[in-house]
Amino acid sequence: KQEVTQIPAALSVPEGENLVLNCSFTDSAIYNLQWFRQDPGKGLTSLLLIQSSQREQTSGRLNASLDKSSGRSTLYIAASQPGDSATYLCAVPYGGATNKLIFGTGTLLAVQP
Amino acid sequence: DGGITQSPKYLFRKEGQNVTLSCEQNLNHDAMYWYRQDPGQGLRLIYYSQIVNDFQKGDIAEGYSVSREKKESFPLTVTSAQKNPTAFYLCASSLTGGTTEAFFGQGTRLTVV
């Protein structure tokens, strides 16, 4: 059964620092991996979707990489800002050709001004 | 604006009462999903629907029911059989297939009083 793990569970950094969030999964037979952001008490905002055939995907200051063979994805945030403070979740589809998602438990990021 | 609308934002349920959470999307997506989020446990799939008039149980369907009479709407009923309904409920939609991006609503927080 697919399992998704995110390390660290929480991270605090000073403003301006570059940082990396990690996501690992146990079954490498995935269609894609999606990164989300969740603000307290809010829904999920999709940040990046990286297909299994891709190794990287970029959006602004965010860069996601995917290494299927090692079961790992990273989300790189450049020049962090206090507004980046949120919980970051990664998720992969499971159960065949559906988009049912299995999630990691997230990394709570705090960017200190 | 295209998106997913969940209502209400907050809902209070008395013991033994059924309540219904609304989810509407105008993204023209065929697939819709309900997830439950509990602190420290991540998101878990309750029900999903790939097409109108069809839906499937997810990992934690007991005590819940759904309907899919219209493409745009996927309401979730939390029945009195659900013994621990207090949680944050998230609705999502996507195109069908395992390679597409999932989009989420802003969530409904359900509390038992």
Side-chain angles (χ1 to χ4, degrees):
Chain A
K1 181 185 174 184
Q2 178 74 273
E3 293 182 5
V4 180
T5 304
Q6 290 186 249
I7 295 173
L11 182 63
S12 181
V13 300
E15 182 176 3
E17 191 163 298
N18 302 327
L19 59 101
V20 174
L21 307 180
N22 297 294
C23 173
S24 61
F25 46 94
T26 54
D27 185 348
S28 62
I30 60 171
Y31 287 103
N32 60 52
L33 186 143
Q34 198 166 352
W35 282 94
F36 296 90
R37 168 187 173 135
Q38 186 176 31
D39 293 293
K42 304 291 187 183
L44 274 62
T45 299
S46 179
L47 297 174
L48 289 164
L49 172 73
I50 183 164
Q51 301 290 357
S52 61
S53 58
Q54 298 175 309
R55 292 194 61 88
E56 284 191 4
Q57 190 70 258
T58 298
S59 176
R61 293 183 294 108
L62 305 180
N63 176 276
S65 69
L66 178 63
D67 184 344
K68 280 182 58 178
S69 61
S70 67
R72 292 184 179 181
S73 176
T74 61
L75 180 66
Y76 174 84
I77 303 177
S80 58
Q81 303 170 358
D84 294 331
S85 299
T87 296
Y88 291 81
L89 298 158
C90 64
V92 296
Y94 71 104
T98 70
N99 212 7
K100 301 184 297 181
L101 295 175
I102 183 164
F103 285 82
T105 50
T107 294
L108 176 60
L109 173 65
V111 180
Q112 308 298 332
Chain B
D1 274 27
I4 301 173
T5 302
Q6 289 187 242
S7 62
K9 187 173 181 179
Y10 299 99
L11 187 58
F12 298 91
R13 192 193 95 165
K14 294 180 181 178
E15 294 285 347
Q17 191 179 41
N18 292 354
V19 292
T20 297
L21 285 61
S22 172
C23 178
E24 304 276 333
Q25 55 99 0
N26 61 4
L27 300 169
N28 201 32
H29 287 165
D30 283 310
M32 297 186 74
Y33 314 80
W34 275 104
Y35 292 88
R36 169 179 171 144
Q37 186 175 32
D38 296 281
Q41 291 200 46
L43 280 79
R44 294 178 291 168
L45 182 67
I46 305 172
Y47 267 98
Y48 66 103
S49 169
Q50 299 272 81
I51 196 168
V52 173
N53 292 322
D54 186 55
F55 48 83
Q56 305 295 328
K57 293 181 179 180
D59 301 315
I60 56 164
E62 185 175 352
Y64 300 98
S65 66
V66 293
S67 63
R68 186 85 187 278
E69 297 177 1
K70 297 188 300 182
K71 186 176 184 177
E72 301 80 14
S73 179
F74 192 40
L76 173 74
T77 297
V78 184
T79 75
S80 57
Q82 172 48 241
K83 298 307 178 189
N84 185 23
T86 296
F88 192 51
Y89 292 86
L90 288 156
C91 178
S93 73
S94 73
L95 297 172
T96 52
T99 63
T100 63
E101 190 173 6
F103 297 90
F104 282 76
Q106 288 300 300
T108 292
R109 183 163 300 280
L110 174 63
T111 304
V112 174
V113 296

